[in-house]
Amino acid sequence: MFFHEEYGRIFAGLLGALLVLTFCCRADAAVEVRTAREASTFLSSDSVQFSIHSDLPAQQLAWTITDHRGDLRAEGEIRAGHGSTTLRVSPWPGVGYFTLALRFESGECHEKVFCVVPHPDDARGDGGLFGIGGTSTSDAFWDAAWQMGARHLRTEFAWTSVEREEGEYDLDWVNAVAAQARERKMQLTVLTGHTPRYYSVKPIDAEGRVDTAWYTWQPARTIEWYDFIDAMADTLARQRLRPAPEHPADTLPRTGARLVRAWEVWSEADQNFYYGSWNRYLDMLRIAYATIKQHGRIPIVYGSCGHMTEMKYTIWSGCADYLDRIAYHPYHDDPQWMMMHWYRNMPQALAEVGALRDTALTECGFHPPDGGATEAGFMPRVYATLKAFGEDLFVRAQCLGGVFPSHETPNALAVWEDGELHPRPAYVAFAVTRWLLESAHYVGPLDAPEGATMELFVRQGAPMVIGWTEEGTRRAQIDVSPGARVIDALGTVTALQGQNATVELSPNAVAVLGVSPAEFATAASAGLEVVLTTDLGHESPTASRWLDPLEEDLEACVGPGGGDLLRAAVEDACERVQDVPPHGAASFFEVQRLIGDLMLRVVDSARAEEDLRPIHTNTIWRLARLAERMGGIADGLGALYPRMNNVSRDDLQKTLDAISRTRSGVREASGGRECPFAERLLDRALSSLDRVRENGGHARGAWWAATVNARAGHALTAVEEPLLRGLFVTANFTSADIITKGVLLRPQPDHRLQMRVYNFLPEDVSGWLNVSLPDEWGVAPSRMFTAEAGGHSELVETAFSVPDQPRPWVQRDLGRFEWHDIKVDAPPNARLREELTLSAETTVGPMNPLIYRVFIGAYPSEEATSDPQLAAPVEPAPSDSIIWAAGMLSGAMR
């Protein structure tokens, strides 16, 4: 039996607090079948038993249990009727998706679908990939999510829902959701956005959905957003989950993970859920970043659908250093292709400037092409692919019925019907996939037949393979150890015979447990080769414009031989794994040391050039990810030998002290400035140290990853220019018109600009604000400001003019190709797109300049109104379905 083999448990115990779950083919519902848990679910630690309630006369009842293939798992007879009867199932059916069929002597037949899933607390690891979407305070929702092994929830605390009355926050609701998550040790990906009606500004060109969706309009000012984010961060940022139980071999006190895994600023702001100006979105992004960081070290996610245009504007405007991750929302039937496609599009804008970021896949739907018929078998493939790409934050979207919909959909995990939640095969597949992969560390690919994929992982100290085909079936040969077995997505186990076993692969992915350690070296070398010989760590038919393969970029920075050194180090490590398994983890620490040395050599190259160029930062970033991956392999191997994979208190404290000294040293020496790229490496280091403490010290590979990143971060501070991120200005164009995704200035002499300075430094700051205008606009007078430490200034107003000559004005296309265009009236030779730069001289030095883009013209066009021949229909706003499709294809379109 599957879980007898895996856990060696003795299944027993009576269940309490029964909930009614009814499946009855008679209209009068004479029979009810009840189970103790939501979604008709039993855990692997439960005995399987039902309570049958019937108003039928007492009589013999025959019962059978069949699995998803129709095979009989158990059968028997009991006497039932006139009240409640307990049906205890024996033998235990195993993990899977089952149907209980009841047949009374009197002829009544009843069926009930139920499932048995792995206990969610078994095989725990980093559960960042096992997130689902939804916001609920319902115990039933949370219990069902916990049972299937969901590890975090992307939950929306919309501004409109928290601040229902102006200035009043419903934080009780926020805390109630947080308490549900803490109780079940589930992290939150917090989503905030959507403007309350009393703050929102309607675009003057609003049509269709934009005309009525007031929550997608921008707030008129920034101060209310700041107050909202500050209240939310104060409520959530410092909360943590309960730590795991201590282990006798622990060297460190265990800590619980942060409650908030990531904080997403608006959903799909660059697509169809935000229609304000991009200037204002960047204001809100900077405020959220700086405010939340004051409360806790939480990654800030740029609310994106993957559009290149908005990302380029974000970088160009000076806001690229106010985000830690980039949201992306892929929906597709091929996760390998879709992930490759993503990295070939919007992230290239960041590669161009040497500012690569990790992804937050916060709303995703990877489903099979047959409309859900094989959704369960597709699931291990999805999560294996994400791990192979190095992703660690994935949320299965509730959109399109992907989680717990109230109506039947092909991709549902479970469906609400008549107030009850009924599981689908994908519910079991999620639980089994999570049990297989949550604690697994990716190693690399194995050779597979054409059209098939086999990815090897280290799981609880032993190799495991996830394999599948694109279509049809293939036979693959895998070296296995005694007791090897194949497990499908619904938990069905098939034993393998012989040392060189044949495994049949199909689109329904399977796991092979008990893979021979001899396969490990092949996968480890192949995995390193892919990293070294591709630009972003995966095969792709399209090369990056801004990156060469890692080995080539490394050679360009430090000279030839780095790639060969890594190959030799991994080869030596694999030999040691084979020869002396208890020292296998330590052998990969040597690989991490070498990666750290190469990172320092790249920094030295930049120092020698006196210029930190994108090739340097992009190469260091990829090496940092490689160090973390090697650390994962080490910790996977060390799971069998926890006392040999420990981190001491002194080791941990030394690395923490080094990070703290680096940060404080830069800030003290530069008046509160930070080195953004070095800071990102230090954040990576701290995240790795979190994993060390959460595991009681049994993660020396994670500690080594933290140590090499901390060393590189420290070295970078000698060459990277510090920036004053904690002090910035936001602008309100009070005399302008807001158009969809932009600001429109009418040519006229009396424009007003209101500015507010936000100060997140530990000291009061004052100075003079300056606005740089196009030459023909004249000079805007400087204005003085004062901002208290940790606070903000009062509004500071200045005036400027937009030339309105020569006349007569003519009708012109605004030329907004990234959004629907409009016609405006303007002087014939005027530039219709201009940039205004806001800067300041302050008591702590110059403030980083910020660029605001504005459009010029009068809307609606009077020329078009007065002359029918000049009039042209305005392109309507896209419908919801068009917008949704555009979001899926945005990377290709832009």
Side-chain angles (χ1 to χ4, degrees), residues 304-334:
S304 162
C305 203
H307 288 230
M308 180 76 80
T309 301
E310 281 78 8
M311 174 51 74
K312 280 185 170 289
Y313 180 29
T314 298
I315 295 168
W316 165 83
S317 67
C319 294
D321 289 312
Y322 293 92
L323 58 100
D324 298 311
R325 288 174 175 259
I326 309 167
Y328 181 50
H329 296 171
Y331 287 78
H332 208 267
D333 60 10
D334 186 345

Short mmCIF file of all heavy atoms in Angstrom, two decimals, residues 304-334:
data_model
loop_
_atom_site.label_atom_id
_atom_site.label_comp_id
_atom_site.label_asym_id
_atom_site.label_seq_id
_atom_site.Cartn_x
_atom_site.Cartn_y
_atom_site.Cartn_z
N SER A 304 1.82 43.29 -12.86
CA SER A 304 2.03 43.26 -14.30
C SER A 304 1.28 42.10 -14.94
O SER A 304 1.00 41.09 -14.31
CB SER A 304 3.53 43.12 -14.59
OG SER A 304 3.77 42.69 -15.90
N CYS A 305 1.00 42.30 -16.23
CA CYS A 305 0.50 41.21 -17.06
C CYS A 305 1.55 40.83 -18.10
O CYS A 305 1.32 39.98 -18.94
CB CYS A 305 -0.80 41.63 -17.73
SG CYS A 305 -1.86 40.27 -18.22
N GLY A 306 2.70 41.50 -18.04
CA GLY A 306 3.79 41.15 -18.93
C GLY A 306 4.03 42.10 -20.08
O GLY A 306 4.63 41.71 -21.08
N HIS A 307 3.60 43.35 -19.97
CA HIS A 307 3.72 44.29 -21.08
C HIS A 307 5.09 44.96 -21.09
O HIS A 307 5.51 45.56 -20.11
CB HIS A 307 2.62 45.35 -21.02
CG HIS A 307 1.27 44.81 -21.37
ND1 HIS A 307 0.45 45.42 -22.28
CD2 HIS A 307 0.60 43.71 -20.94
CE1 HIS A 307 -0.68 44.72 -22.40
NE2 HIS A 307 -0.61 43.69 -21.59
N MET A 308 5.74 44.91 -22.23
CA MET A 308 7.06 45.51 -22.40
C MET A 308 7.00 47.04 -22.32
O MET A 308 7.88 47.68 -21.74
CB MET A 308 7.64 45.08 -23.75
CG MET A 308 9.01 45.64 -24.04
SD MET A 308 10.32 44.82 -23.13
CE MET A 308 10.51 43.33 -24.13
N THR A 309 5.96 47.66 -22.90
CA THR A 309 5.90 49.12 -22.97
C THR A 309 5.93 49.74 -21.59
O THR A 309 6.72 50.65 -21.30
CB THR A 309 4.64 49.57 -23.72
OG1 THR A 309 4.66 49.02 -25.02
CG2 THR A 309 4.55 51.08 -23.79
N GLU A 310 5.06 49.29 -20.69
CA GLU A 310 5.00 49.86 -19.36
C GLU A 310 6.28 49.59 -18.58
O GLU A 310 6.74 50.43 -17.79
CB GLU A 310 3.78 49.33 -18.61
CG GLU A 310 2.48 50.01 -19.00
CD GLU A 310 1.92 49.50 -20.31
OE1 GLU A 310 2.46 48.52 -20.86
OE2 GLU A 310 0.92 50.09 -20.80
N MET A 311 6.87 48.39 -18.77
CA MET A 311 8.12 48.11 -18.05
C MET A 311 9.25 49.04 -18.52
O MET A 311 10.03 49.55 -17.71
CB MET A 311 8.52 46.66 -18.25
CG MET A 311 9.89 46.31 -17.67
SD MET A 311 10.13 46.81 -15.95
CE MET A 311 9.14 45.60 -15.09
N LYS A 312 9.34 49.27 -19.82
CA LYS A 312 10.37 50.19 -20.31
C LYS A 312 10.16 51.60 -19.74
O LYS A 312 11.12 52.29 -19.38
CB LYS A 312 10.36 50.22 -21.84
CG LYS A 312 11.08 49.04 -22.48
CD LYS A 312 11.14 49.20 -23.98
CE LYS A 312 12.05 48.15 -24.61
NZ LYS A 312 13.48 48.40 -24.30
N TYR A 313 8.91 52.03 -19.65
CA TYR A 313 8.62 53.34 -19.08
C TYR A 313 8.98 53.37 -17.59
O TYR A 313 9.51 54.35 -17.07
CB TYR A 313 7.15 53.68 -19.31
CG TYR A 313 6.72 55.02 -18.76
CD1 TYR A 313 7.60 56.09 -18.65
CD2 TYR A 313 5.40 55.22 -18.37
CE1 TYR A 313 7.20 57.31 -18.16
CE2 TYR A 313 4.99 56.45 -17.87
CZ TYR A 313 5.89 57.49 -17.77
OH TYR A 313 5.49 58.70 -17.29
N THR A 314 8.71 52.27 -16.89
CA THR A 314 9.05 52.18 -15.47
C THR A 314 10.55 52.34 -15.27
O THR A 314 11.00 53.05 -14.36
CB THR A 314 8.56 50.83 -14.91
OG1 THR A 314 7.13 50.76 -15.03
CG2 THR A 314 8.95 50.66 -13.45
N ILE A 315 11.33 51.68 -16.11
CA ILE A 315 12.79 51.79 -16.02
C ILE A 315 13.24 53.20 -16.38
O ILE A 315 14.02 53.83 -15.67
CB ILE A 315 13.45 50.75 -16.94
CG1 ILE A 315 13.12 49.32 -16.46
CG2 ILE A 315 14.95 50.96 -17.01
CD1 ILE A 315 13.49 48.25 -17.46
N TRP A 316 12.74 53.70 -17.50
CA TRP A 316 13.14 55.01 -18.02
C TRP A 316 12.82 56.14 -17.04
O TRP A 316 13.57 57.11 -16.90
CB TRP A 316 12.46 55.22 -19.36
CG TRP A 316 12.47 56.63 -19.88
CD1 TRP A 316 13.48 57.25 -20.56
CD2 TRP A 316 11.42 57.58 -19.76
NE1 TRP A 316 13.11 58.53 -20.88
CE2 TRP A 316 11.85 58.76 -20.39
CE3 TRP A 316 10.15 57.55 -19.18
CZ2 TRP A 316 11.06 59.90 -20.46
CZ3 TRP A 316 9.36 58.67 -19.24
CH2 TRP A 316 9.82 59.84 -19.88
N SER A 317 11.71 56.00 -16.32
CA SER A 317 11.28 57.07 -15.42
C SER A 317 12.10 57.13 -14.14
O SER A 317 12.02 58.11 -13.41
CB SER A 317 9.80 56.89 -15.07
OG SER A 317 9.63 55.72 -14.29
N GLY A 318 12.86 56.07 -13.85
CA GLY A 318 13.67 56.04 -12.65
C GLY A 318 13.09 55.23 -11.52
O GLY A 318 13.48 55.41 -10.36
N CYS A 319 12.15 54.31 -11.82
CA CYS A 319 11.46 53.56 -10.77
C CYS A 319 11.80 52.08 -10.75
O CYS A 319 11.15 51.31 -10.03
CB CYS A 319 9.94 53.73 -10.94
SG CYS A 319 9.38 55.41 -10.66
N ALA A 320 12.81 51.65 -11.51
CA ALA A 320 13.12 50.22 -11.59
C ALA A 320 13.63 49.65 -10.27
O ALA A 320 13.59 48.44 -10.06
CB ALA A 320 14.16 49.96 -12.69
N ASP A 321 14.09 50.51 -9.38
CA ASP A 321 14.62 50.02 -8.11
C ASP A 321 13.59 50.01 -6.99
O ASP A 321 13.94 49.89 -5.81
CB ASP A 321 15.83 50.86 -7.70
CG ASP A 321 17.03 50.60 -8.59
OD1 ASP A 321 17.34 49.42 -8.82
OD2 ASP A 321 17.64 51.57 -9.07
N TYR A 322 12.32 50.13 -7.36
CA TYR A 322 11.24 50.05 -6.37
C TYR A 322 10.38 48.81 -6.59
O TYR A 322 9.17 48.84 -6.34
CB TYR A 322 10.39 51.32 -6.43
CG TYR A 322 11.13 52.56 -5.97
CD1 TYR A 322 11.81 53.35 -6.87
CD2 TYR A 322 11.15 52.92 -4.63
CE1 TYR A 322 12.51 54.48 -6.46
CE2 TYR A 322 11.84 54.06 -4.20
CZ TYR A 322 12.52 54.82 -5.12
OH TYR A 322 13.20 55.94 -4.70
N LEU A 323 10.98 47.75 -7.01
CA LEU A 323 10.27 46.48 -7.17
C LEU A 323 11.27 45.34 -6.99
O LEU A 323 12.44 45.45 -7.32
CB LEU A 323 9.59 46.40 -8.54
CG LEU A 323 10.47 46.55 -9.78
CD1 LEU A 323 10.79 45.19 -10.39
CD2 LEU A 323 9.79 47.43 -10.81
N ASP A 324 10.78 44.24 -6.40
CA ASP A 324 11.62 43.06 -6.17
C ASP A 324 11.29 41.92 -7.12
O ASP A 324 12.17 41.13 -7.46
CB ASP A 324 11.44 42.55 -4.73
CG ASP A 324 11.86 43.58 -3.70
OD1 ASP A 324 12.96 44.14 -3.84
OD2 ASP A 324 11.08 43.83 -2.76
N ARG A 325 10.05 41.83 -7.51
CA ARG A 325 9.60 40.77 -8.41
C ARG A 325 8.63 41.36 -9.42
O ARG A 325 8.09 42.43 -9.22
CB ARG A 325 8.91 39.63 -7.63
CG ARG A 325 9.86 38.77 -6.79
CD ARG A 325 9.08 37.77 -5.96
NE ARG A 325 9.94 36.85 -5.23
CZ ARG A 325 10.21 35.61 -5.60
NH1 ARG A 325 9.68 35.14 -6.72
NH2 ARG A 325 11.00 34.84 -4.89
N ILE A 326 8.39 40.59 -10.48
CA ILE A 326 7.47 41.03 -11.52
C ILE A 326 6.35 40.00 -11.63
O ILE A 326 6.61 38.80 -11.83
CB ILE A 326 8.17 41.13 -12.88
CG1 ILE A 326 9.45 41.95 -12.77
CG2 ILE A 326 7.24 41.74 -13.92
CD1 ILE A 326 10.33 41.83 -13.98
N ALA A 327 5.11 40.46 -11.50
CA ALA A 327 3.98 39.56 -11.67
C ALA A 327 3.83 39.18 -13.14
O ALA A 327 4.10 39.97 -14.04
CB ALA A 327 2.70 40.21 -11.16
N TYR A 328 3.40 37.96 -13.35
CA TYR A 328 3.11 37.48 -14.69
C TYR A 328 1.96 36.50 -14.57
O TYR A 328 1.89 35.73 -13.61
CB TYR A 328 4.35 36.80 -15.29
CG TYR A 328 4.17 36.28 -16.71
CD1 TYR A 328 3.63 37.08 -17.69
CD2 TYR A 328 4.54 34.99 -17.04
CE1 TYR A 328 3.47 36.61 -18.98
CE2 TYR A 328 4.40 34.51 -18.33
CZ TYR A 328 3.86 35.32 -19.30
OH TYR A 328 3.70 34.86 -20.57
N HIS A 329 1.04 36.52 -15.56
CA HIS A 329 -0.18 35.73 -15.47
C HIS A 329 -0.34 34.85 -16.71
O HIS A 329 -1.16 35.14 -17.58
CB HIS A 329 -1.39 36.65 -15.31
CG HIS A 329 -1.38 37.44 -14.04
ND1 HIS A 329 -2.27 38.45 -13.77
CD2 HIS A 329 -0.57 37.37 -12.95
CE1 HIS A 329 -2.03 38.96 -12.58
NE2 HIS A 329 -1.00 38.31 -12.06
N PRO A 330 0.43 33.78 -16.79
CA PRO A 330 0.33 32.92 -17.97
C PRO A 330 -0.85 31.96 -17.90
O PRO A 330 -1.13 31.37 -16.86
CB PRO A 330 1.65 32.14 -17.94
CG PRO A 330 2.00 32.07 -16.48
CD PRO A 330 1.49 33.35 -15.87
N TYR A 331 -1.53 31.82 -19.02
CA TYR A 331 -2.57 30.81 -19.21
C TYR A 331 -2.21 30.06 -20.49
O TYR A 331 -2.12 30.67 -21.56
CB TYR A 331 -3.95 31.45 -19.36
CG TYR A 331 -4.52 32.01 -18.08
CD1 TYR A 331 -4.09 33.23 -17.57
CD2 TYR A 331 -5.48 31.30 -17.35
CE1 TYR A 331 -4.61 33.76 -16.40
CE2 TYR A 331 -6.00 31.82 -16.18
CZ TYR A 331 -5.57 33.04 -15.71
OH TYR A 331 -6.09 33.55 -14.54
N HIS A 332 -1.99 28.76 -20.39
CA HIS A 332 -1.55 28.03 -21.58
C HIS A 332 -1.66 26.54 -21.31
O HIS A 332 -1.88 26.10 -20.18
CB HIS A 332 -0.10 28.41 -21.93
CG HIS A 332 0.22 28.29 -23.39
ND1 HIS A 332 0.76 27.15 -23.94
CD2 HIS A 332 0.07 29.16 -24.41
CE1 HIS A 332 0.95 27.34 -25.23
NE2 HIS A 332 0.52 28.56 -25.55
N ASP A 333 -1.48 25.75 -22.38
CA ASP A 333 -1.48 24.30 -22.21
C ASP A 333 -0.08 23.71 -22.34
O ASP A 333 0.07 22.50 -22.39
CB ASP A 333 -2.44 23.62 -23.21
CG ASP A 333 -2.07 23.90 -24.66
OD1 ASP A 333 -0.98 24.44 -24.91
OD2 ASP A 333 -2.88 23.57 -25.55
N ASP A 334 0.94 24.58 -22.38
CA ASP A 334 2.32 24.11 -22.45
C ASP A 334 3.18 24.97 -21.54
O ASP A 334 3.66 26.02 -21.94
CB ASP A 334 2.85 24.17 -23.89
CG ASP A 334 4.24 23.56 -24.02
OD1 ASP A 334 4.90 23.35 -22.98
OD2 ASP A 334 4.67 23.29 -25.16
#
